[in-house]
């Protein structure tokens, strides 16, 4: 049955899209943003239930939208109401090209451009103390969010990186705007977000139109690509990808992390569904060389597979498997299976988990445990 449309209670989203108002839905749009919208289902003639940024919206369209597909939409205007239109690259083939370009850019971490900017800060003329302080704040924030000796890959470390790396900047602004007294401390908000700091620095005349400014602008552009790729991947298959700085031997490397949160598994009776979480991690360690770890967690049961570059390294870790099992047990996790593979070092060094954002995971760890 079609949902009745009252022309007096809808927001126009462009020549084809109409959204029914919902007081519970609060989305902050920015002009020229490219959004990912998944068509959940057709709810009536010309009416569709969409998922945009985790919010379910009902839209009316004369376009031939296919349930299950993800479409790219461009924000045309935000006032007096948001206006969205199908982006030109929303046909299947063109979407594939857009996403392929995004993934290609993610093979090199967006933060590499930021590291290049920080390395060249001595070449920047900074006549104002404020500019020098902002650079110091930026460098300190990168250091705080980076992993390394004494700062292992933990849930808390990943949460901190997601929160302050710039990936959530627009969401932070939206949350602040929805408060009764928004922006109580705007300076503190900016100083704790890499993207906000980068955008603020780009306003400085001494940084604009310089080679260093180009590096900083490239970081912002690459980070926006990461945001779009993650939003699209989450809508399409429940995955997200991160590339986190890792300090080792006085230089920065990058830890790649990809997680899949989309699948559920049930018991024999078809009840008590548990979410099946799979995650992959790649990093290059000075002692062990390049390492890939693939894990699957179902309820309290865990499977892990390590892929390493030598049999000696595999035997070294295998001999310490008991320690891993005991540490997991303290967190209520049962290690059901632990396996090791050996691959050529050059193969491991060139793995990019970004390539798997929109493909089926190759490791087979998404099977029911």
């Amino acid at each position: 049955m079609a949902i009745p449309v009252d022309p007096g209670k809808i927001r126009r989203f462009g020549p084809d899209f109409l959204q029914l108002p919902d007081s519970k839905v609060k989305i902050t749009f920015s002009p020229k943003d490219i959004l990912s919208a998944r068509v959940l289902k057709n709810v009536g003639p010309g009416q569709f239930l969409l998922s945009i940024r985790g919010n379910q919206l009902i839209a009316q369209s004369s376009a031939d939208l296919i349930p299950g597909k993800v479409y790219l939409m461009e924000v045309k205007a935000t006032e007096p109401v948001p206006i969205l239109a199908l982006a030109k690259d929303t046909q299947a083939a063109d979407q594939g090209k857009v996403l392929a370009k995004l993934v290609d850019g993610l093979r090199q971490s967006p933060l590499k451009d930021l590291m290049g900017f920080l390395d060249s800060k001595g070449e920047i003329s900074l006549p104002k103390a404020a500019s020098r302080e902002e650079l110091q704040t930026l460098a300190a924030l990168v250091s705080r969010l980076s992993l390394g000796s004494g700062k292992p890959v933990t849930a808390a470390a990943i949460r901190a990186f997601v929160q302050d790396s710039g990936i959530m900047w627009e969401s932070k602004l939206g949350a602040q705007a929805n408060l009764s007294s928004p922006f109580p401390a705007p300076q503190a908000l900016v100083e704790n977000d890499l993207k906000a700091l980068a955008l603020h620095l780009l306003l400085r005349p001494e940084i604009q139109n310089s080679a260093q400014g180009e590096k900083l602008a490239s970081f912002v552009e690459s980070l926006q690509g990461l945001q779009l790729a993650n939003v699209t991947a989450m809508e399409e298959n429940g995955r997200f990808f991160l590339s986190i700085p890792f300090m080792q031997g006085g230089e920065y490397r990058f830890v790649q992390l990809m997680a899949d949160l989309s699948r559920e598994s049930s018991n024999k009776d078809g009840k008590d569904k548990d979410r099946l979480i799979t995650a992959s991690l790649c990093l290059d360690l000075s002692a062990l060389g390049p390492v890939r770890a693939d894990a699957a967690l179902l309820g309290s049961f865990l499977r892990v597979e390590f892929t390493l570059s030598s049999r000696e390294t595999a035997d070294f870790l295998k001999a310490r498997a008991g320690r891993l099992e005991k540490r997991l047990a303290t967190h209520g996790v049962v290690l059901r299976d632990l396996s090791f593979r050996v691959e050529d070092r050059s193969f491991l060094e060139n793995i990019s988990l970004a390539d798997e954002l929109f493909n089926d995971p190759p490791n087979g760890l998404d099977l029911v445990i």
Side-chain angles (χ1 to χ4, degrees):
M1 179 177 178
I3 297 176
V5 177
D6 182 347
K9 295 182 179 180
I10 55 181
R11 294 179 178 179
R12 187 163 180 79
F13 266 60
D16 294 320
F17 281 87
L18 301 172
Q19 180 200 343
L20 299 179
D22 184 345
S23 59
K24 297 180 181 179
V25 175
K26 295 180 179 179
I27 306 177
T28 300
F29 296 103
S30 299
K32 297 185 179 181
D33 269 1
I34 301 295
L35 308 175
S36 172
R38 185 179 183 85
V39 181
L40 300 178
K41 62 180 178 179
N42 188 321
V43 295
Q47 295 186 347
F48 302 90
L49 181 63
L50 307 179
S51 175
I52 301 178
R53 289 180 175 173
N55 293 277
Q56 293 187 5
L57 314 174
I58 294 177
Q60 182 166 316
S61 174
S62 59
D64 187 17
L65 302 181
I66 302 173
K69 282 185 62 64
V70 177
Y71 293 85
L72 299 182
M73 298 182 185
E74 182 179 358
V75 179
K76 292 296 186 181
T78 59
E79 297 293 341
V81 295
I83 297 177
L84 304 184
L86 284 172
K88 294 180 180 179
D89 293 322
T90 50
Q91 280 75 25
D94 289 337
Q95 279 197 60
K97 293 178 183 177
V98 171
L99 295 178
K101 184 178 180 180
L102 285 175
V103 169
D104 187 59
L106 295 182
R107 291 191 179 97
Q108 299 294 320
S109 171
L111 271 75
K112 283 194 173 182
D113 293 313
L114 183 59
M115 302 305 184
F117 171 79
L118 290 173
D119 287 342
S120 63
K121 65 182 179 181
E123 305 170 23
I124 305 173
S125 175
L126 299 175
K128 296 182 180 180
S131 297
R132 294 192 294 272
E133 291 174 2
E134 287 163 355
L135 277 178
Q136 292 170 356
T137 301
L138 184 65
L141 183 55
V142 169
S143 178
R144 177 168 67 82
L145 296 179
S146 299
L147 305 175
S149 178
K151 297 171 65 178
V153 182
T154 63
I158 294 173
R159 279 196 298 268
F161 181 80
V162 171
Q163 182 68 20
D164 297 333
S165 64
I167 297 174
M168 303 297 293
W169 174 239
E170 289 76 10
S171 295
K172 287 182 183 179
L173 288 179
Q176 287 288 331
N178 287 326
L179 294 176
S180 56
S181 300
F183 306 109
Q187 188 64 25
L189 189 65
V190 170
E191 289 179 352
N192 285 283
D193 191 278
L194 287 181
K195 186 176 183 179
L197 267 172
L199 291 171
H200 191 61
L201 277 165
L202 283 171
L203 296 176
R204 296 290 184 187
E206 59 268 31
I207 293 178
Q208 292 177 358
N209 303 318
S210 68
Q212 291 76 23
E214 290 179 3
K215 292 177 182 177
L216 196 58
S218 180
F219 158 68
V220 173
E221 182 178 355
S222 298
L223 188 65
Q224 289 171 339
L226 174 63
Q227 290 174 281
L228 175 56
N230 274 329
V231 168
T232 305
M234 281 297 293
E235 292 284 358
E236 189 165 306
N237 51 32
R239 295 178 191 153
F240 69 87
F241 168 82
L242 298 174
S243 182
I244 306 175
F246 178 81
M247 175 60 77
Q248 183 176 251
E251 64 175 328
Y252 280 110
R253 304 185 184 188
F254 293 91
V255 177
Q256 298 180 54
L257 173 68
M258 186 182 73
D260 187 332
L261 312 175
S262 64
R263 293 182 292 279
E264 291 182 340
S265 180
S266 60
N267 60 19
K268 294 180 181 179
D269 299 325
K271 301 177 181 178
D272 301 322
K273 288 185 177 181
D274 287 320
R275 183 170 296 279
L276 176 63
I277 300 173
T278 64
S280 298
L281 182 145
C282 289
L283 70 162
D284 194 344
L285 297 169
S286 56
L288 301 179
V291 177
R292 172 170 180 160
D294 296 291
L297 179 67
L298 180 62
S300 60
F301 297 102
L302 178 70
R303 289 179 59 195
V304 181
E305 180 180 81
F306 286 102
T307 306
L308 308 134
S309 60
S310 71
R311 176 53 58 187
E312 292 77 13
T313 303
D315 291 341
F316 175 82
L317 291 181
K318 191 173 183 178
R320 287 155 179 78
R323 298 182 188 177
L324 174 62
E325 188 170 5
K326 289 179 181 178
R327 292 185 65 178
L328 290 171
T330 62
H331 297 283
V333 177
V334 178
L335 184 61
R336 177 62 64 86
D337 182 50
L338 178 63
S339 58
F340 299 87
R341 292 175 52 200
V342 176
E343 293 283 357
D344 185 80
R345 184 184 184 96
S346 61
F347 169 79
L348 281 174
E349 288 176 337
N350 288 288
I351 287 178
S352 173
L353 295 177
D355 293 329
E356 300 172 22
L357 260 180
F358 301 99
N359 298 324
D360 292 332
N363 49 57
L365 288 176
D366 57 342
L367 301 177
V368 175
I369 298 176

